Amino acid sequence: MAILGNKQEKTYDTGDLKVPVSLGVIMDGNGRWATKRHLPRSAGHRAGAENLKELCRNCGRYGVKYLTVYAFSTENWSRPEGEVDQLMKLFVEFFDRYDPELEQEGIRVRFTGDIAALPENIREVCKKGEERSKNRPKMQLIVAFNYGGRREILSSCQKIAEKVKAGEVEPSDITEQMISENLYLPDVPDPELIIRPSGELRISNFLLWECAYSEFWVSDTLWPDFGYEELTRAFRDYAKRDRRFGGLSKKESKE
Ligand code: IPE
Ligand code: IPE
Ligand code: MG
């Protein structure tokens, strides 16, 4: 990082880093961030949304092509009604407020999850957001909203079952590739790296099918505080990972 007087300037030099083409981020820890500051949980969600804008900018500039962020899970409906309402409102606000900045950064927005089951105003935001950003070239921001990995696999199986019922496919001809092709966004590559801040060591139903060979990177920092330095550290650590996919490491396979 270049130091200018006391001011630290962000650089997007990828020298000793490896930047994934497809990155997943579980934006967790908003509630704890707020509680630590004696604020209502809603303040944490607001700070978390602000931080998403920052993550988009940093990932775009680093050269990530697909950034999938977990914003609301199929299990998050079990939270108190007031919190769920607030999260829905924030979702709408985020795209109203920040779309000009996303546009400036060349970021296309897409959504993944059980979108059809969401209230109409949310579905409208998704439709408009996708439509107006579809030609932006730099990076795709994929927002997982009302998303559950199991529900996504289920929905893929249901689509395939329809084809079996119509006599187009034999059950014995179903392949892994077919399941991948019937997921919500089949053109989005599986994430090479998944980052989870806030200290939890679990996947919480995020990208279950897609994460088969993802590298995991966790930190204790709560999501609203997860910034450029930590993202850079994650990419630096990722550069050192030996991805074997069940085979041997590069060094061993040369022996
Ligand atoms: C993540 O923060 C946001 C959502 C799950 C919607 P949390 O609200 O889960 O924050 P913690 O885990 O309670 O701190
Ligand atoms: C995962 O966080 C979901 C999102 C960040 C949207 P949770 O806070 O819902 O996960 P658990 O309950 O700790 O597993
Ligand atoms: Mg949480």
Side-chain angles (χ1 to χ4, degrees):
M1 186 153 32
I3 311 281
L4 297 174
N6 286 332
K7 199 170 151 261
Q8 290 195 317
E9 172 122 318
K10 285 176 191 165
T11 68
Y12 295 91
D13 174 2
T14 53
D16 61 339
L17 315 180
K18 188 165 173 190
V19 174
V21 172
S22 182
L23 170 70
V25 177
I26 301 177
M27 305 188 292
D28 194 20
N30 296 347
R32 278 164 282 173
W33 182 92
T35 305
K36 255 174 67 182
R37 287 165 178 73
H38 308 287
L39 295 168
R41 290 178 61 83
S42 58
H45 293 314
R46 201 161 276 288
E50 281 283 336
N51 198 37
L52 171 58
K53 185 187 72 172
E54 196 52 32
L55 177 78
C56 290
R57 184 208 299 269
N58 288 332
C59 284
R61 294 189 178 187
Y62 261 132
V64 172
K65 291 293 167 210
Y66 303 86
L67 167 65
T68 306
V69 294
Y70 207 6
F72 190 88
S73 74
T74 45
E75 286 70 38
N76 287 146
W77 293 104
S78 66
R79 297 192 178 196
E81 205 181 309
E83 182 165 344
V84 170
D85 282 351
Q86 205 250 340
L87 286 164
M88 297 289 152
K89 281 205 191 95
L90 254 184
F91 179 86
V92 176
E93 251 185 68
F94 180 88
F95 295 103
D96 273 350
R97 265 176 68 187
Y98 295 136
D99 194 63
E101 289 176 57
L102 297 178
E103 186 176 18
Q104 231 173 27
E105 296 288 326
I107 297 174
R108 174 179 173 192
V109 185
R110 300 173 80 186
F111 299 89
T112 185
D114 190 356
I115 305 300
L118 286 163
E120 203 194 328
N121 67 322
I122 305 283
R123 278 187 277 131
E124 201 52 34
V125 169
C126 297
K127 210 170 116 192
K128 277 199 190 136
E130 287 188 343
E131 188 52 38
R132 75 182 159 203
S133 71
K134 68 179 179 210
N135 294 321
R136 297 183 196 160
K138 196 149 142 200
M139 182 182 83
Q140 295 191 18
L141 165 66
I142 296 136
V143 183
F145 202 80
N146 196 23
Y147 176 87
R150 287 188 171 184
R151 192 166 302 176
E152 182 180 30
I153 297 167
L154 170 67
S155 130
S156 171
C157 293
Q158 285 171 334
K159 287 184 218 162
I160 297 167
E162 288 296 338
K163 290 177 196 154
V164 172
K165 192 174 159 197
E168 293 163 22
V169 175
E170 284 296 319
S172 57
D173 291 338
I174 297 171
T175 59
E176 290 184 10
Q177 193 187 339
M178 227 179 261
I179 296 178
S180 292
E181 284 167 359
N182 284 282
L183 295 175
Y184 294 136
L185 299 176
D187 60 305
V188 175
D190 292 348
E192 295 117 277
L193 179 68
I194 292 181
I195 294 177
R196 182 163 193 162
S198 95
E200 310 300 347
L201 301 175
R202 52 179 173 259
I203 192 75
S204 300
N205 208 7
F206 185 50
L207 303 179
L208 293 186
W209 181 268
E210 298 88 334
C211 80
Y213 270 102
S214 303
E215 294 292 326
F216 286 95
W217 196 87
V218 295
S219 90
D220 287 333
T221 305
L222 302 170
W223 166 248
D225 292 329
F226 185 97
Y228 166 83
E229 282 78 12
E230 240 167 333
L231 183 72
T232 306
R233 208 173 314 137
F235 290 167
R236 189 166 295 128
D237 287 348
Y238 174 56
K240 297 179 199 135
R241 302 280 177 96
D242 180 15
R243 303 189 75 201
R244 295 189 205 131
F245 300 98
L248 299 180
S249 67
K250 279 190 202 116
K251 193 174 139 264
E252 283 166 324
S253 50
K254 275 190 213 126
E255 282 168 6

